[in-house]
Amino acid sequence: MTNFYPNDSGDIIHLNVGGTRFSTSRHTLSWIPDSFFTALLSGRISSLKDETGAFFIDRDPKLFATILNYLRTRDIDISNCDICPLRHEAEYYGITPLVKRLILCEDLDQSSCGDVLFYGCLPAPSVPIPEQGSQPSTSSGVQSKTNENTVNINRGTVPVPSIRPENVTSNVNSSGPFNVVTTHTHRAHSRNSSWDMRVGSRSSTDLRSLSRPGHSRTASLDLCHAHDVNRVVNNDLALIFHQNQVSYWADPLRVQIIKAHHHCIAVAYAHFVVCYRLKDSHGWQHVFTSPHIESCIERVAVNAKISQGTGCEASKMVAISYSSHVRLWGITEHGAKTNIGIFNLGVRVEYLFFIGSQLVALSPTGKIGVWHAMTQHWQIQDVVPISSFDTAGSFLLLGCNDGCIYYIDMQKFPLRMKDNDLLVTKLYRDPSHELITAISVYLTPKTSLCGNWIEIAYGTSSGTVRVIVQHPETVGHSPQLFQTFTVHQSAVTKVTLSEKFLVSVCCEYNHVRTWSVTRFRGMISTQPGSTPVASFKILALEEIDPYISYTVGNDFGPFGEQDDEQVFVQKVVPETSELFVRLASNGKRVCVIRAVDSTTITSFCVHECEGSSRMGSRPRRFILTGHSNGTLQMWDLTTALDLSKKGESVNQKSGGPTPKELLRLLDQCDLCNSHCSTPCISPSPSLLGHASRIKASNVAFLNQQQHQQENQNN
């Protein structure tokens, strides 16, 4: 016979939590004021009862048992439970004393000063004021410079008025490491991001995702992921009318791209770029801020060592691209900047980089633009449509759609000015005539006997990976096919040939295969040949509508010199404050980078800084992370690798995110049915429509604001 519990009277309260029955006293449940239980027992909230008359609560009974024990004894045993879900349950029930204790427990290993790998932070810069008038535009093949009165138009010259140079001197002082002293006032930041900064100056990227119902440390309002409705409106208008008729809104303080070269860092925001330099004993110093750029910056490149005798006074150069335009500045040792010019490739610039003193802009359509510091000349060359590229010394190698590999010797570029030819030479044709989707060049150390032994690894659209070599004594002849691997079933997106390993990545969830490389006197050998080492995945989900610069700013690698340990940096979801650093050779975890202020990591890169002039100093590798609030954080990768080799890793778990960690990262997201092999972040299919553009947490916030206004009106 089923027992019936009269819950309406008496001091004994019967509860049915997730199918498990509990009995306790009214005093036990109500000694904490303003909790879920006081509201339940007083009738302030609606309740359900099961067939026995017990209050039904649809929550986890195991966690409730722990919370009920705390209400009984005011003590808690957390040895057999996870703090995070327990805190969420305590927040749901409104057990404030327990929530505070659990938050302190969670914060025991967290600090705004970071862990042992945290190296420093550069504050967000001031946003430059837009200049009067629109951005100057140039047509294809045009060079605009401040030190000449002519521009080159279609290999001819037309006189134009000289452009006034923008010479701005930055006075840089130093008061300690990572102190950036400029004439601007930097906005302060704290670990808990302030609401006025989030709403007044920036908002997070639209993930088109929905938060699951529940509680968080910020009372169910995740302000770190605050959504800007203006951007959604702009995106919707662009879809309705035309893609180019409505400008794509971009957060002005969100770090888009980070590039580094030697002792210089270039940080690209939506409409301006900032440069820092590393100076012995003084840390990083601000040296350059570009003018406001009307269009969104899509690519950035920096060269910290301009060769002497090039005819250019600048010691550093910074270049950006937006659409088909390339803009170039020079920076002197004293911090003065000069606007070198604005150039037009005629098509959208997909890759922007320096080879020596030459600035190179590439487009997959088959256009190459080159600016040389010595000749001060911008030249455009048409080639076969490009699908991949790599650089080695002064050489630029191009993997093309016709199944061929071409190369350009940039040192000979000034000598070919008369016939306007970059001297594009065919190096090799794939035996299957497949599209070359990835390429990597390895130059063995020079010797007095045999010179360079050039080794090239490349991947194709069918998933084939090949290694070709060229003997020093056969220079002038095509390289010879050395080895072929057919393990990938999807197109190869990355390939890297280093001193010890061959690493390839295909587009199926970034599936990685690695092989060890045997060498004899520095040259690749067939005895015993390449041996398989590891197979793993670098899962990195992308947004449905990412920024054009998102892929460049969040490239997962591999990073590192070819004669050193290389790493992957895994960003699982777009809106996250965590990065997983893994060895490229075997996929093992080196460390986990967590933003010290819990802000979203919007871009990152790995860079090796030169050692100081002090005796015994050595180069150090850093992970540079850009954040949604405009700051730049630095992490000591050299220390992380040293600890990993000693078995003293900061994070003891091996590999990438565990299933538990992955589910936690995906907790606020749904996955769309994508045609790609790697899914994208999207709203739940059952919630498509206008409401799906705003996260559930933000909907709750808007509803809360509406209720407050209604109460004020009443």
Side-chain angles (χ1 to χ4, degrees), residues 251-269:
D251 190 340
L253 266 184
R254 185 184 182 96
V255 177
Q256 305 283 339
I257 308 173
I258 304 173
K259 293 293 182 180
H261 185 239
H262 291 290
H263 59 279
C264 190
I265 299 175
V267 184
Y269 297 85

Side-chain angles (χ1 to χ4, degrees), residues 51-71:
E51 67 278 3
T52 64
F55 288 109
F56 177 76
I57 303 174
D58 192 13
R59 305 296 290 185
D60 187 345
K62 294 182 179 179
L63 294 175
F64 177 78
T66 304
I67 292 175
L68 181 59
N69 188 62
Y70 170 78
L71 294 176

Side-chain angles (χ1 to χ4, degrees), residues 488-501:
H488 292 293
Q489 303 303 308
S490 303
V492 177
T493 56
K494 292 175 178 287
V495 64
T496 300
L497 180 61
S498 63
E499 181 181 8
K500 297 180 180 179
F501 296 98

Side-chain angles (χ1 to χ4, degrees), residues 223-242:
L223 301 185
C224 290
H225 292 227
H227 180 81
D228 192 282
V229 180
N230 290 333
R231 181 183 170 191
V232 176
V233 174
N234 283 344
N235 295 346
D236 292 343
L237 291 175
L239 293 175
I240 294 174
F241 294 100
H242 192 274

Side-chain angles (χ1 to χ4, degrees), residues 143 317 328 340 343 357-359 369-373 376-378:
Q143 179 185 11
M317 286 189 178
L328 179 63
I340 295 177
F343 317 106
S357 299
Q358 292 90 288
L359 174 65
V370 180
W371 181 87
H372 197 276
Q376 304 284 297
H377 182 82
W378 171 258

Side-chain angles (χ1 to χ4, degrees), residues 19 44 157 176 219 278 402 427 446 486 521 548 597 604 667 677:
R44 295 199 305 268
T157 58
L278 179 62
D402 61 353
L427 181 67
K446 285 187 176 182
T486 57
R521 294 180 179 177
I548 296 178
D597 53 1
F604 56 86
D667 189 44
S677 56

Side-chain angles (χ1 to χ4, degrees), residues 38 148 176 375 473:
T38 58
E148 291 186 6
T375 62
E473 60 271 14

